[in-house]
Amino acid sequence: MISRIKGTNDIIEDSKVWEWLEEKLKNVALNFGFVEARTPIFEATELFNRSVGNETDIVQKEMYTFEDKGGRSITLRPEGTAPVMRAFIENNLSSKGLPQKLFYCGPMFRYERPQAGRLRQFHQFGVELIGSSLPIADAMTILLAIEMLKAIGLDEFKLKINSTGDEKCRPNYVEALKAYYKPFLNDLCDDCKVRYDRNVLRLLDCKKDAKYAENAPKITDYLCDDCKSHFDKLKKYLDDMEIEYEVDPAIVRGLDYYTRTVFEFKYPNLGAQDAIGGGGRYDNLIEELGGSKVPSIGFAFGIERLILALEAEKRLPKIEGLDIYVISIDENQKIEALKIAGALSKYFKVDVDVMGRNVKGQFSHASKENARYTVVIGEEEIKTGLYTLKNMKTGEQWKVRLSEIIKIVSGSGETDTTDA
Ligand code: AMP
C-alpha cells in the first residue's frame, strides 16, 4: 500500500466541517469588502527568498523546492502573502485604486517536524489590506480577524501585539539584542547559535532558550518616534473598540518582511502549537518585490489549528444530514426515483439508492444518513403522481405532489393534502 506523505492529511470525514469553517471565514471577509485572490500553489523560489528572507527558518530549512523540467527553481508556497503581493504587482492592481482588500484560502507547505497541530501541508485563510500606512488599517485588520474568530464560535483567544520597528530603529535594537545575547552564546541551542548572526530577533521566540529572552532588551524601548506613535495609536484604537490585547515583546514572527505592527492569536489548551493565527504590517515588501511603495498589513489563520481549538472547546458544529432520501419500492421505479431526486436536488440535499437495497434497507440507510424526510415511489405513486412523504423525526406522512413536497420540506406553507 502507498501511504500519504508524512505531515499531510486526507480531509474526508471532516470535510463538511472544513466547508462550514471556510464559508464562515469567507463570509466575514466578503462582508468587509474583501475579494478572493487565488494564486498558484507554486512560485519561483526567488519570490520567497526575497520576501520571507534568506535568513529565516522557512527559507533555510523548510521550503519544498525543486527544479522543474525546464530547469527553473520552483517552490511550493510556504505562506500566502508573498504570492498575493506578486500577483498585486503583476496584475497592476494599484491602478484600480487603493486600498485593495484581498483574501486567500488554501494549502501551504513547510518541511517542519510534524506533530499535533504542525503539518507539512497545512491550510491557511489569510487576508491582506493593501495600501494604507495608517494605524486605523491595523485596527481594521485586527477587528476583521476577531470577527472571524467570533463567527466560528471561538472567543477564548488571546491577542498579543508588538511592534518590530522599521528600517530606522530596528538596527539599533538588533545591536542591543546581540550585545545582550553575546555572553550566553555558547549556552544557546544550535539553532539559536546560527540565528544569532543571521536573524537575532528569532532568539526571542525560541522555546528552548526562553529563559534568556525574559530579560532581553525590549523592542518597544527602542522604537523611533514614528513607530512609537503608530503603535500608541493602534493601542488606543484597540482600547476604544474594547478589544483586549497584551503587548508581548517576544512576538517577532518568523518572516523578514514585517515592519511595525505584528500580532498573534493564541488559543489556550492547544499545547505547544497554540498560535492559531498571526500577521503584521509589511510596508516595504511590495517595493522589495519590484512594485512601488505600497504599505500594507495582513494576517493568516491556520485552519487545522482553528479546528483543533473548536474541538477542544467542543464547539464543532453539528453538520445537518440529508433533507430527503428518495426510496423506490422495487427495481421498476429506480429511474423515476432518480428523476425525482434530480428535480428535488435543485432545492435540497437529496440521496437515492444505488446499492440495490430493498425498501427496509433504504429506510435504514435514510436514517443512517440523518434524512429529515423520505419520499416513497411505487407503481401506484408513478400512476397518480402522488408520493408518500414521511417526516422521519415525527413519523407524520402525507400523499402529495412534487410541488407540495418542495413546500413542506422547505417549511414554507400549508398543504391541502390528506394524511396517508
Ligand atoms: P505563520 O505564517 O507562520 O505566521 O503562520 C500563520 C498560522 O498558520 C499559524 O498561526 C498557525 O496557525 C498556522 N501554521 C503555521 N505553520 C503551520 C504548520 N506547519 N502546521 C499547521 N499550521 C501551521
Side-chain angles (χ1 to χ4, degrees), residues 110 112 117-119 122 124 253 275-278 300 302 305:
R110 294 183 196 171
E112 294 195 83
R118 203 206 273 156
L119 292 149
F122 60 100
Q124 286 187 340
R253 321 264 310 127
I276 52 173
R305 301 228 185 134

Side-chain angles (χ1 to χ4, degrees), residues 7 58 62 78-81 104 108-125 253-255 257-258 263-266 270 273-280 299-306 308:
I58 292 182
E62 297 171 2
E79 60 98 53
T81 300
Y104 59 85
M108 306 292 158
F109 306 85
R110 294 183 196 171
Y111 192 80
E112 294 195 83
R113 201 162 44 81
Q115 53 180 268
R118 203 206 273 156
L119 292 149
R120 290 183 172 168
Q121 174 174 334
F122 60 100
H123 297 75
Q124 286 187 340
F125 190 101
R253 321 264 310 127
L255 300 82
Y257 54 63
Y258 286 115
F263 56 95
E264 260 179 31
F265 288 95
K266 304 261 184 184
L270 287 188
Q273 311 304 322
D274 63 349
I276 52 173
F299 68 85
F301 285 125
I303 296 187
E304 284 83 356
R305 301 228 185 134
L306 293 179
L308 287 173

Side-chain angles (χ1 to χ4, degrees), residues 207-273:
K207 295 218 162 77
K208 288 189 208 134
D209 290 328
K211 63 174 189 270
Y212 300 110
E214 275 169 31
N215 298 318
K218 295 188 175 28
I219 178 107
T220 35
D221 296 331
Y222 286 78
L223 296 178
C224 60
D225 289 346
D226 288 346
C227 286
K228 187 170 179 319
S229 147
H230 185 101
F231 196 44
D232 287 344
K233 279 189 189 142
L234 170 61
K235 286 186 287 185
K236 178 168 185 318
Y237 295 156
L238 295 178
D239 291 337
D240 289 350
M241 291 193 287
E242 294 177 9
I243 290 175
E244 278 180 38
Y245 60 88
E246 183 194 323
V247 175
D248 182 348
I251 303 278
V252 289
R253 321 264 310 127
L255 300 82
D256 274 2
Y257 54 63
Y258 286 115
T259 46
R260 294 193 171 165
T261 310
V262 284
F263 56 95
E264 260 179 31
F265 288 95
K266 304 261 184 184
Y267 213 85
N269 305 335
L270 287 188
Q273 311 304 322

